[in-house]
Amino acid sequence: MRWSKALIPTHKEDPSHAETTSHKLMLRAGLIRRLTSGVYNYLPLGWRVVRKVEAIVREEMDRIGSQELLMPVVSPAELWQETGRWDVYGKELWRVHDRNGREFALGPTHEEVVTDIVRNEVRSYRQLPFTLYQIQTKFRDEIRPRFGVIRAREFIMKDAYSFHRDEDSLNETYRAMYDSYCRIFDRCNLNYRPVEAATGAIGGSASHEFMVLCDTGESEVIVCECGYAATDERAEGLIADVMPPEDPLLAEPVDTPGMKTIEDVSEFLGVESWRLIKTIVYVADGDPVVALIRGDRDINEEKLAGLLGASIVEAAPPDIVEKVTRAPVGFAGPIGLSEVRLVVDRSVEPLKNVVVGGNAVDVHIRNVNPGRDFVVDDYCDIAMIGKDDVCRQCGKSMGSFRGIEVSQVFKLGTKYSDSMKATFLNENGKAMPFVMGCYGLGISRTVAAIIEQHSDGAGITWPMSVAPFEVEVLAVKFKNEEVRAASERLYDDLRAAGVDVLLDDRHDSPGVKFKDADLIGIPIRVTIGERGLKSGILEIRMRKTGEQRDLPIEGAAAEIARIVEEARV
RNA sequence: CGGGGCGUGGCGCAGCCCGGUUAGCGCGCCUGCUUUGGGAGCAGGAAGUCGGAGGUUCGAAUCCUCUCGCCCCGACCA
């Protein structure tokens, strides 16, 4: 490609709307342009990178025997209603309707569609196991699109689905896919880590997310030196007991006018926040539930939902809170509640003489003792675990890091095949539901994640494997006949050698070209100018390391092609 | 959805509080000449219904109302 004919619109200044490194650089280097919130054009340079990442993904999917297909973006509402996700997925499911008012979803993921294909086409256990995948545009009407393509409403994803006769077979493919993902991210030169994850709206029994380490990442991972690593939604751990031994005192109401938050009450009464019990009313699949946790901690709604076996758990609206506690929001407590399920976190068990809401306006109760003043059937783990908590596996205190979630794999089990009646016949002629796995990988997000880890003050520093071009030939003073001839020859020779090469043949000043070269970050830059030509040399420079050396023009193309070949993964 | 902020040539911004002629600046773009190893110089030029609608006023980018869009912080996920 010749730069003079290419659409590579670079910018000297940072765009005003972008915050993160990758977002700024993708805009400045002319990889993407925003069309509307969370929706992006991929310009030629950006698209080339997407294609490179896709190629790696395809190779690795093929390697484990996964077959590529293409499913439609649009799918009918009825399919989603079969599994209940038409409702469960909520507003994030991008819904459209046709001219007759019939409803459709723009696919955010394709469990329903792929299961529909398989239930119609696969009959026998002899056909199992197999894995299907596609690379396609996905739609999620995100609450808040963010960070350019990292959280977009329209994005590119590779999604794979495996079908099995039993759990053992699923486990085998799950492992193969997990290893495949490791190879993919290794080849993209990413510093990443697979961690245990919650299953969320997709469902299933086990899940891992692949996290690319990045301080501005949106996900928090809890880690322990023993090897344990899990997302904060999923992490288990022990919350250290801070309660000193105390004799139980007599519970008594206390006036707390207008004190509605843990912070208010703890300040007003002059007690530490852990000497309170946080009481939160939730609605789980339509039914109110009250959850209790120590005052300085937060409830993990994901865990609560899992414990209750509910698909939707959300904080109750004020009218439900009032109905349940007979008081406005802010004075909920466990004492005297009836006809509502109480879920109590383990952190509450050791507490003595603590403060709870009084279930009445402007009243709290102090010196409350769990078990004595209210009944606890069972203490559970519904706590959001943090980096300062203690590992359940080894007992050491844990740490945390932030990351970008580039992929997630799930063991789905029969969740979808059950609800969609997708079955095969086993050896005994008995109809069995397919055991399924699903495996997502955000292609566009991976591109952004690569930039997050591969840039410097001057621009992007692409790894060879995903760079839009492998070599940039920068002609200083392209007008000069000798420079022009030498550049053209090298350009042709490199292309003939199978190298992706960009020729900067613009008639701009050298400064402009050098700055642009740094910005778009092609791994190898070859500079050809009058100066070097006099002595028959050109200059080759590695973008990432800044390492540079002179090369005789004779045989330069072959030498450069060799270096490129070596750097390819 | 709650909180905060912003919409002025392609990009980055000033002007707005305190209304007043042809709406500025830097970058970019076009033409010509000179220049060419780290964002060149000179000369000339194109490009904006000041997000939109309504209102106040002799007069609105500026004040008021409504509306649309965008970004950031929190509840969602590849």
Side-chain angles (χ1 to χ4, degrees):
Chain A
M1 177 62 70
R2 292 162 179 279
W3 199 316
S4 64
K5 298 280 183 277
L7 180 62
I8 307 176
T10 59
H11 283 307
K12 192 185 276 191
E13 287 167 289
D14 272 341
S16 63
H17 295 308
E19 297 289 320
T20 53
T21 305
S22 60
H23 191 194
K24 282 181 191 167
L25 287 174
M26 287 180 89
L27 289 165
R28 279 191 61 203
L31 271 51
I32 56 167
R33 286 293 182 261
R34 192 192 69 217
L35 182 59
T36 186
S37 180
V39 178
Y40 287 84
N41 291 302
Y42 287 84
L43 302 186
L45 212 53
W47 186 242
R48 289 185 77 99
V49 180
V50 168
R51 300 279 299 216
K52 293 264 178 126
V53 173
E54 287 182 359
I56 292 172
V57 169
R58 283 198 171 92
E59 274 182 40
E60 295 302 336
M61 286 298 104
D62 291 349
R63 191 198 298 277
I64 59 169
S66 183
Q67 310 167 68
E68 184 168 7
L69 82 173
L70 183 62
M71 292 178 268
V73 164
V74 173
S75 53
E78 300 86 72
L79 214 47
W80 294 82
Q81 284 155 353
E82 277 192 60
T83 59
R85 279 163 124 203
W86 185 255
D87 299 319
V88 173
Y89 224 107
K91 286 186 177 171
E92 208 180 308
L93 186 64
W94 199 319
R95 294 153 216 253
V96 295
H97 55 80
D98 68 9
R99 62 175 71 197
N100 300 317
R102 191 178 165 204
E103 292 185 289
F104 296 87
L106 300 182
T109 173
H110 281 236
E111 285 79 12
E112 281 81 357
V113 180
V114 77
T115 304
D116 183 60
I117 293 174
V118 172
R119 73 175 165 186
N120 290 331
E121 312 302 334
V122 180
R123 296 273 99 95
S124 163
Y125 73 95
R126 290 202 186 92
Q127 294 167 280
L128 301 176
F130 62 88
T131 304
L132 300 170
Y133 80 96
Q134 64 172 347
I135 295 178
Q136 189 209 34
T137 299
K138 293 283 188 278
F139 293 83
R140 293 185 190 176
D141 195 359
E142 295 283 349
I143 287 170
R144 181 149 98 82
R146 223 187 310 209
F147 306 143
V149 302
I150 288 184
R151 175 164 304 283
R153 295 194 292 171
E154 174 178 332
F155 59 100
I156 305 167
M157 183 166 116
K158 188 276 317 186
D159 45 323
Y161 307 89
S162 66
F163 293 82
H164 310 270
R165 57 183 301 181
D166 56 29
E167 287 284 332
D168 286 348
S169 170
L170 167 61
N171 289 341
E172 214 170 281
T173 298
Y174 187 86
R175 185 70 222 180
M177 194 62 77
Y178 182 105
D179 292 342
S180 172
Y181 277 25
C182 291
R183 282 194 296 276
I184 290 168
F185 297 126
D186 283 339
R187 291 179 63 181
C188 290
N189 254 268
L190 284 166
N191 181 209
Y192 66 96
R193 177 141 186 204
V195 308
E196 289 181 23
T199 53
I202 310 276
S205 63
S207 178
H208 287 85
E209 289 179 14
F210 285 73
M211 293 290 184
V212 168
L213 279 62
C214 171
D215 289 340
T216 58
E218 293 185 88
S219 307
E220 173 107 357
V221 178
I222 308 299
V223 286
C224 176
E225 58 186 62
C226 75
Y228 181 76
T231 63
D232 58 356
E233 294 167 335
R234 158 81 191 192
E236 302 199 331
L238 301 172
I239 294 175
D241 177 20
V242 288
M243 192 76 218
E246 277 179 20
D247 292 328
L249 303 173
L250 207 57
E252 56 174 6
V254 44
D255 285 340
T256 49
M259 300 297 144
K260 297 182 175 196
T261 65
I262 293 287
E263 210 174 26
D264 289 345
V265 175
S266 97
E267 197 171 311
F268 182 75
L269 297 177
V271 299
E272 297 90 336
S273 58
W274 56 261
R275 283 184 182 268
L276 275 64
I277 292 176
K278 192 181 279 184
T279 306
I280 299 186
V281 184
Y282 285 96
V283 176
D285 289 349
D287 299 323
V289 171
V290 173
L292 303 188
I293 194 162
R294 204 171 77 194
D296 60 336
R297 308 301 301 231
D298 293 313
I299 287 173
N300 181 330
E301 291 172 21
E302 188 78 38
K303 284 186 187 173
L304 181 60
L307 192 84
L308 297 170
S311 41
I312 305 177
V313 170
E314 46 194 7
D319 57 310
I320 302 285
V321 175
E322 289 195 34
K323 208 172 144 203
V324 170
T325 67
R326 301 176 303 279
V329 175
F331 302 97
I335 300 177
L337 292 184
S338 55
E339 292 164 31
V340 63
R341 179 158 175 195
L342 209 58
V343 181
V344 186
D345 186 69
R346 289 190 304 236
S347 60
V348 170
E349 188 167 14
L351 298 179
K352 299 257 184 322
N353 305 325
V354 292
V355 178
V356 303
N359 293 328
V361 189
D362 296 343
V363 176
H364 280 74
I365 302 174
R366 73 165 119 212
N367 298 333
V368 168
N369 289 276
R372 182 193 72 176
D373 300 313
F374 58 94
V375 180
V376 180
D377 295 330
D378 196 13
Y379 290 97
C380 327
D381 175 17
I382 53 168
M384 190 64 91
I385 295 300
K387 62 180 161 63
D388 299 322
D389 293 323
V390 170
C391 180
R392 280 180 84 179
Q393 297 190 1
C394 72
K396 290 189 184 135
S397 74
M398 303 191 284
S400 73
F401 68 84
R402 297 196 70 83
I404 298 169
E405 179 200 342
V406 286
S407 72
Q408 185 166 12
V409 294
F410 299 83
K411 290 182 189 176
L412 294 175
T414 56
K415 172 176 166 152
Y416 293 89
S417 44
D418 280 339
S419 57
M420 293 180 67
K421 301 185 174 57
T423 60
F424 62 94
L425 295 179
N426 69 9
E427 300 94 314
N428 306 318
K430 191 180 171 209
M432 303 291 291
F434 292 101
V435 176
M436 294 171 57
C438 76
Y439 319 89
L441 190 157
I443 303 281
S444 36
R445 183 179 281 186
T446 296
V447 171
I450 292 168
I451 297 172
E452 287 291 340
Q453 289 192 346
H454 296 274
S455 76
D456 59 22
I460 304 170
T461 59
W462 292 114
M464 188 65 80
S465 57
V466 297
F469 293 95
E470 294 165 316
V471 174
E472 173 176 338
V473 176
L474 192 157
V476 177
K477 201 172 170 184
F478 193 70
K479 257 186 185 165
N480 178 292
E481 250 334 294
E482 286 135 61
V483 170
R484 183 196 191 92
S487 309
E488 295 280 6
R489 188 155 60 88
L490 182 63
Y491 176 57
D492 289 340
D493 290 350
L494 285 172
R495 280 193 305 160
V499 174
D500 279 340
V501 49
L502 174 66
L503 172 63
D504 190 350
D505 58 347
R506 296 175 297 173
H507 295 288
D508 282 293
S509 71
V512 171
K513 296 173 133 188
F514 285 127
K515 291 289 184 191
D516 270 348
D518 288 344
L519 179 60
I520 69 168
I522 307 306
I524 297 177
R525 186 188 80 195
V526 181
T527 307
I528 298 181
E530 289 173 294
R531 213 169 64 185
L533 285 181
K534 283 199 179 91
S535 38
I537 56 152
L538 45 73
E539 174 199 291
I540 170 170
R541 182 185 172 91
M542 301 299 157
R543 173 65 182 86
K544 187 177 281 293
T545 60
E547 175 196 348
Q548 74 180 56
R549 64 192 159 101
D550 292 341
L551 228 52
I553 289 187
E554 286 315 311
E559 172 64 6
I560 293 163
R562 191 190 62 74
I563 297 171
V564 169
E565 178 60 37
E566 213 166 71
R568 284 177 182 157
V569 188

